[in-house]
Amino acid sequence: MLFNSLIFIGLVVATMFLYYIPKFKRQQILLLIIASLLFYSWHKPILVTLLLASATINILTSYWIAHKKAGSVKFAAWIGVTSNLGILAFFKYAGLLSMTLFKEGSIGQFLMTIPLPIGISFFTFQGISLVIDVYKEKHFDNNAIIPKSLFEHAKNTLFFISFFPQLVAGPIVKAHEFLPQIKNKRFSDIEWVRCFKDITLGYFLKMVVADNLKDFTFWITFPYFEGKDTISLLTMLFGFSCQIYADFAGYSLIAIGIARLFGYHLMDNFRYPYISSSFREFWKRWHISLSTFLQEYLYIPLGGNRKGKYRTYINLMITMVLGGLWHGAAWSYAVWGTFHGLALAVERLLLHQFKLRETRTIKVLKTIIVFSLVSLAWLLFKLPDFEHVIGYLQAIGKNVGMMADIPFIMSIMAYSSLVVLHHAYYLVKVKYQNRILINRFEFAIYGILLFLILTNSGIPGDFIYFQF
């Protein structure tokens, strides 16, 4: 069920209507669970059984840990984490395993038939956060957050795991951020202006920018890119960089806005990442829920930067390579993670070796370099076959003499410029945030966005991160 479909809009409106009726005040969580399971099972109902199985594992292990039931609490935590990772590995990486180790034979054929449930990377990570948060009891008192009633705990956990706005593509929600929010919500508490802005901007980025750009970046795929000139090939890379941002940031904004309609606050997932002048800053602005999850539940437990500089680089590389593989069951994603890991490591090394005075010109140059390298690395997302990535780069060099397709290039630049303006407006707003004119002008901008959504939306397409 796509966010940009009438069925989804109907689901949200109907659920919201029932949710705030006083008669159903005590059933708010159950209503959202029903809506979430309906949303997830819309196209492939059988896959909801996996979601329920994952939730059951997390319900039982976290309850066991929280209330110190018979047996080892540490063992229960181990069961919870390994079960989540096992589910993720089996359903997501079976195909990669078959292609790597079992290219021929019945085992390989069986592994290739295993479906990839949408959102599995997201809801298994949330299950892991629940088990670890309850085990460490670092962020909240278990007795205050985990009910004594197993039924109540099961209801809260299933709601946390399945909450439909962010179920299939995030933001990744950590247990200590979400569980304390579970309580009855009031219609009068809805932040209408914030919801309107998030949802409108999200739909604009998805429907106007990403859905239009996808028709042009389609030509990045093999073998179509071989017939494109060098300028078009470079422009398509720029366009895809803008598309993947608009697509994923758009989804996140819609999810955040809809969650707020029901009284739940999800963390911001993007903070204008393409103004970053370093890779470290980029990962503080891009897919923030994933980067903070990896930092909190992987990088820091590995030792972070507390065990010497060599161990720091090793921990950094492990985190980024695994973060790359989280995105998809192909070695190209591991290469993408390795690229970002090396970029972060080299950047960290250079900062320790050279203390440069950063002028405005140097910062602009660094921003251009970071954006260019990030955009180049996105090619691994568009072309999971590594040979095709090499072929694309070779085509950039070989097709210099071909005549540029000016209308094609101008179309990409027109839609990509909206992402550039989106980032530029943020910089202007930060600089002049107290000016009344900026605040007044902002409502006119959202009016224009609504007009463009109605008049210039592209053909609806799946969200890119649905495959992860």
Side-chain angles (χ1 to χ4, degrees):
M1 190 183 293
L2 293 176
F3 275 16
N4 47 338
S5 67
L6 290 176
I7 296 172
F8 178 76
I9 301 299
L11 175 68
V12 172
V13 172
T15 304
M16 194 173 168
F17 173 75
L18 295 173
Y19 185 76
Y20 285 112
I21 290 178
K23 183 178 179 180
F24 294 118
K25 184 176 182 180
R26 294 186 177 182
Q27 282 76 45
Q28 285 185 333
I29 295 173
L30 286 175
L31 280 169
L32 288 178
I33 290 173
I34 292 169
S36 299
L37 296 180
L38 180 62
F39 168 79
Y40 191 75
S41 63
W42 188 254
H43 290 298
K44 288 187 178 179
I46 188 65
L47 292 181
V48 80
T49 57
L50 177 63
L51 177 64
L52 293 173
S54 175
T56 300
I57 291 168
N58 292 301
I59 289 165
L60 296 177
T61 53
S62 59
Y63 187 80
W64 183 356
I65 296 166
H67 297 299
K68 311 292 189 298
K69 296 301 177 183
S72 169
V73 167
K74 189 174 184 179
F75 178 71
W78 183 87
I79 289 290
V81 172
T82 55
S83 296
N84 279 293
L85 292 176
I87 290 171
L88 181 62
F90 180 75
F91 283 94
K92 186 163 185 173
Y93 302 106
L96 178 62
L97 183 64
S98 68
M99 289 187 292
T100 305
L101 302 176
F102 307 106
K103 291 185 178 181
E104 298 178 0
S106 57
I107 295 178
Q109 291 176 357
F110 167 72
L111 293 175
M112 287 298 292
T113 62
I114 296 171
L116 175 60
I118 60 171
I120 190 170
S121 297
F122 293 90
F123 67 72
T124 51
F125 266 28
Q126 290 182 197
I128 290 171
S129 83
L130 173 65
V131 173
I132 293 178
D133 284 353
V134 173
Y135 175 68
K136 289 190 173 181
E137 206 169 354
K138 177 181 176 182
H139 299 284
F140 53 66
D141 178 3
N142 286 340
N143 292 323
I145 299 298
I146 309 299
K148 292 287 185 181
S149 165
L150 179 58
F151 174 79
E152 287 298 316
H153 176 59
K155 184 175 69 173
N156 290 350
T157 301
L158 181 57
F159 171 47
F160 161 63
I161 296 291
S162 68
F163 188 38
F164 75 91
Q166 48 76 228
L167 174 58
V168 295
I172 299 169
V173 181
K174 304 178 190 74
H176 63 263
E177 296 169 344
F178 192 85
L179 293 183
Q181 296 187 55
I182 297 178
K183 59 183 179 181
N184 287 330
K185 307 295 182 177
R186 296 182 302 177
F187 185 80
S188 59
D189 291 334
I190 296 176
E191 301 172 71
W192 288 106
V193 173
R194 172 69 188 270
C195 293
F196 169 77
K197 288 182 178 181
D198 285 345
I199 293 171
T200 301
L201 180 57
Y203 275 115
F204 171 77
L205 288 173
K206 170 57 181 170
M207 298 175 71
V208 178
V209 180
D211 282 347
N212 278 302
L213 278 174
K214 78 178 189 313
D215 296 332
F216 298 97
T217 59
F218 161 80
W219 297 95
I220 292 177
T221 53
F222 178 82
Y224 304 109
F225 65 75
E226 294 180 329
K228 292 291 182 182
D229 62 277
T230 296
I231 297 176
S232 293
L233 291 170
L234 291 172
T235 305
M236 286 193 296
L237 267 181
F238 175 71
F240 184 67
S241 192
C242 292
Q243 179 196 344
I244 197 170
Y245 167 75
D247 195 277
F248 194 20
Y251 178 99
S252 295
L253 283 167
I254 297 168
I256 291 167
I258 291 173
R260 281 182 177 271
L261 288 176
F262 293 103
Y264 290 90
H265 295 186
L266 309 181
M267 72 182 304
D268 291 337
N269 213 17
F270 292 88
R271 293 191 188 122
Y272 307 89
Y274 290 154
I275 63 170
S276 304
S277 59
S278 68
F279 281 90
R280 185 170 182 268
E281 183 184 0
F282 175 79
W283 280 104
K284 287 186 174 182
R285 293 178 176 274
W286 177 275
H287 202 348
I288 301 166
S289 64
L290 175 64
S291 58
T292 55
F293 182 95
L294 292 174
Q295 180 183 36
E296 185 172 348
Y297 297 102
L298 181 58
Y299 179 69
I300 292 175
L302 284 172
N305 58 2
R306 304 186 306 275
K307 297 187 176 182
K309 62 179 181 179
Y310 295 111
R311 182 65 180 273
T312 297
Y313 291 127
I314 292 171
N315 294 340
L316 194 60
M317 288 302 300
I318 291 172
T319 301
M320 294 310 299
V321 171
L322 291 178
L325 275 175
W326 175 88
H327 282 84
W331 291 117
S332 59
Y333 294 110
V335 174
W336 178 83
T338 302
F339 169 83
H340 275 276
L342 287 171
L344 288 166
V346 170
E347 185 177 84
R348 186 183 183 91
L349 181 63
L350 291 175
L351 284 174
H352 280 93
Q353 294 295 325
F354 305 101
K355 302 293 182 182
L356 295 177
R357 180 174 169 269
E358 190 172 89
T359 63
R360 180 175 295 181
T361 302
I362 290 175
K363 186 172 183 178
V364 170
L365 287 173
K366 286 170 64 179
T367 301
I368 293 171
I369 291 170
V370 170
F371 174 77
S372 299
L373 292 175
V374 166
S375 297
L376 183 64
W378 287 137
L379 197 54
L380 292 160
F381 271 53
K382 189 66 175 175
L383 298 170
D385 190 324
F386 198 69
E387 291 182 4
H388 296 164
V389 174
I390 300 300
Y392 193 96
L393 296 176
Q394 291 174 338
I396 291 175
K398 289 191 302 183
N399 298 352
V400 174
M402 293 178 63
M403 185 176 294
D405 187 344
I406 301 300
F408 181 81
I409 291 169
M410 293 303 293
S411 296
I412 294 175
M413 294 304 294
Y415 288 110
S416 299
S417 66
L418 297 172
V419 172
V420 176
L421 289 172
H422 172 57
H423 283 69
Y425 175 69
Y426 167 74
L427 293 174
V428 171
K429 190 177 178 181
V430 168
K431 187 173 182 180
Y432 301 106
Q433 58 184 329
N434 294 322
R435 301 286 179 90
I436 297 176
L437 180 62
I438 291 294
N439 295 327
R440 289 179 178 175
F441 185 59
E442 191 170 55
F443 286 98
I445 290 176
Y446 280 94
I448 294 171
L449 298 188
L450 277 175
F451 175 76
L452 290 173
I453 291 170
L454 294 172
T455 61
N456 203 37
S457 292
I459 299 171
D462 287 347
F463 288 87
I464 292 172
Y465 265 68
F466 274 15
Q467 63 184 299
F468 306 137

